[in-house]
Amino acid sequence: MTLYIGENLKKQRKLRELTQEQLADILGVSFQAVSKWERGEAYPDIELLPTIAEYFGITTDELMGMKEIRDSSEADKILDTVHENSIKGNIEENLKILEEAVKRFPNNFRLLAEYASNLTFVNWDREGEPYRRNNLKAVAIAERILAECTDPEIRGWMQDNLCYFYERSGQHDKAIEAADKLSNLWSSREMIRMDFLKGDELMEFAQGVVTNLANAMYVTLWYLSDLDGKNDPKMTHERQIEILKKAIALYDIVFDKGDYNYYFHDVYHAYSHIAVKAVLSGNRELALDSLEKAAKFAAADDDLPDKKPYTSLLVNRLEYNRKHSIKNFTFTYREELLEKLAWDGYDCIRDDPRFKAVESSLHK
């Protein structure tokens, strides 16, 4: 249990406009002792607590921060519930919980950060006004956190997210400016930490970096495929297909045993989009083949157990754990793909036995 003696002692001392040396003289201790207490490196002797509390006119419970401890425990329970909802995709429920939580604990920066993230993670119309307003709220929360919070983990989280909050709220220039302040790839925790680790710790951490880099390459190639045609209108469907195939091939290199685990859904999405582009380019065979593979990977993701070890050469020290996955929807990937099959672009292959077999497998 963390006591808040140091923070409360410093607060009370400053209210009395005392220096550390003056307080030390009053209590009959060394200046170094007071300094250590306020930094949280040590606590006063238990016999001294009533004396300190009486001098400042507060209770020993107030000095030790018992209210803060109770609040922190309650906040941790709320965060556990939020995490469980995130695994299940219940973001709407999270918003209700967090909206009340930040009213009760307005200075709990982790709750505030979760609230900001969930405000923009909710799966609403991303072009609509409610979504923009949510991001404006998130901007205000993130800016406050960065101005007041000293926790490096929470600050780093909000520095990254603030870029997206700006962009999604229509503040493009601020998004670019915020992104330019972030570290580049070679200055990241992942790349630098490997230089100082050794043994099993290095081996496991390096494998985690492999999966992160593979996912980063996949995301980058996804952008390069320009599936909506907004950035490179001249790109052909065939070229988009080739880029998506390379994204899948990268995953195939890393997960050579087929244990994609966290990334089954990435491969499913790639194949489902290849199918669309194949139909549009008149390649019915590729469309059918891609839909069969999309159905396979959708099912593989839906059916993942709570835990599953990796076996592929580059990642065989790692383990999939459902608790580390979050999503912003409650439907399954089978259900999503089945809904996609209703697209009228598939009418040209709808009567094909292979298409019907995919539909049947998804229904089951």
Side-chain angles (χ1 to χ4, degrees), residues 193-208 317:
R193 198 162 184 258
M194 285 190 291
D195 285 336
F196 312 117
L197 298 177
K198 290 184 168 97
D200 288 343
E201 191 176 11
L202 170 61
M203 294 297 99
E204 184 172 337
F205 187 79
Q207 288 196 358
R317 291 170 177 260

Side-chain angles (χ1 to χ4, degrees), residues 138-153:
V139 164
I141 294 169
E143 288 178 340
R144 182 198 160 194
I145 289 172
L146 292 175
E148 300 177 14
C149 179
T150 58
D151 185 308
E153 180 187 349

Side-chain angles (χ1 to χ4, degrees), residues 83-239:
H83 182 63
E84 288 299 318
N85 282 336
S86 296
I87 295 171
K88 299 172 185 175
N90 294 327
I91 302 302
E92 295 276 8
E93 182 64 23
N94 274 352
L95 280 179
K96 294 176 186 175
I97 293 170
L98 288 166
E99 189 171 8
E100 292 303 313
V102 296
K103 290 176 183 175
R104 289 179 57 198
F105 309 113
N107 296 316
N108 187 302
F109 292 118
R110 188 164 293 278
L111 280 174
L112 285 166
E114 282 287 358
Y115 184 43
S117 297
N118 277 265
L119 275 170
T120 66
F121 195 43
V122 67
N123 202 20
W124 289 346
D125 174 15
R126 301 208 164 191
E127 302 298 326
E129 184 59 23
Y131 188 70
R132 191 185 77 86
R133 285 199 303 267
N134 267 17
N135 277 277
L136 283 171
K137 282 186 191 175
V139 164
I141 294 169
E143 288 178 340
R144 182 198 160 194
I145 289 172
L146 292 175
E148 300 177 14
C149 179
T150 58
D151 185 308
E153 180 187 349
I154 298 175
R155 287 182 59 82
W157 177 12
M158 285 297 101
Q159 283 170 335
D160 293 348
N161 277 263
L162 185 57
C163 304
Y164 295 100
F165 300 161
Y166 280 139
E167 180 67 20
R168 294 166 184 167
S169 61
Q171 303 178 74
H172 177 74
D173 290 344
K174 283 192 173 183
I176 295 295
E177 184 182 348
D180 285 342
K181 293 178 181 177
L182 301 177
S183 301
N184 63 38
L185 173 65
W186 296 102
S187 299
S188 67
R189 175 181 69 94
E190 284 77 9
M191 300 308 297
I192 292 177
R193 198 162 184 258
M194 285 190 291
D195 285 336
F196 312 117
L197 298 177
K198 290 184 168 97
D200 288 343
E201 191 176 11
L202 170 61
M203 294 297 99
E204 184 172 337
F205 187 79
Q207 288 196 358
V209 174
V210 167
T211 63
N212 286 336
L213 291 175
N215 185 232
M217 280 294 293
Y218 173 90
V219 171
T220 304
L221 290 176
W222 187 272
Y223 282 122
L224 283 176
S225 67
D226 194 33
L227 295 174
D228 56 12
K230 289 182 178 179
N231 301 295
D232 188 356
K234 295 182 180 179
M235 187 181 294
T236 64
H237 299 313
E238 288 81 5
R239 186 177 172 191

Side-chain angles (χ1 to χ4, degrees), residues 3 5 43-55 58-60 63-64:
L3 298 177
I5 293 175
Y43 293 134
D45 289 341
I46 192 167
E47 296 88 353
L48 196 55
L49 292 179
T51 302
I52 297 172
E54 184 177 354
Y55 174 75
I58 60 177
T59 66
T60 52
L63 177 62
M64 291 189 294

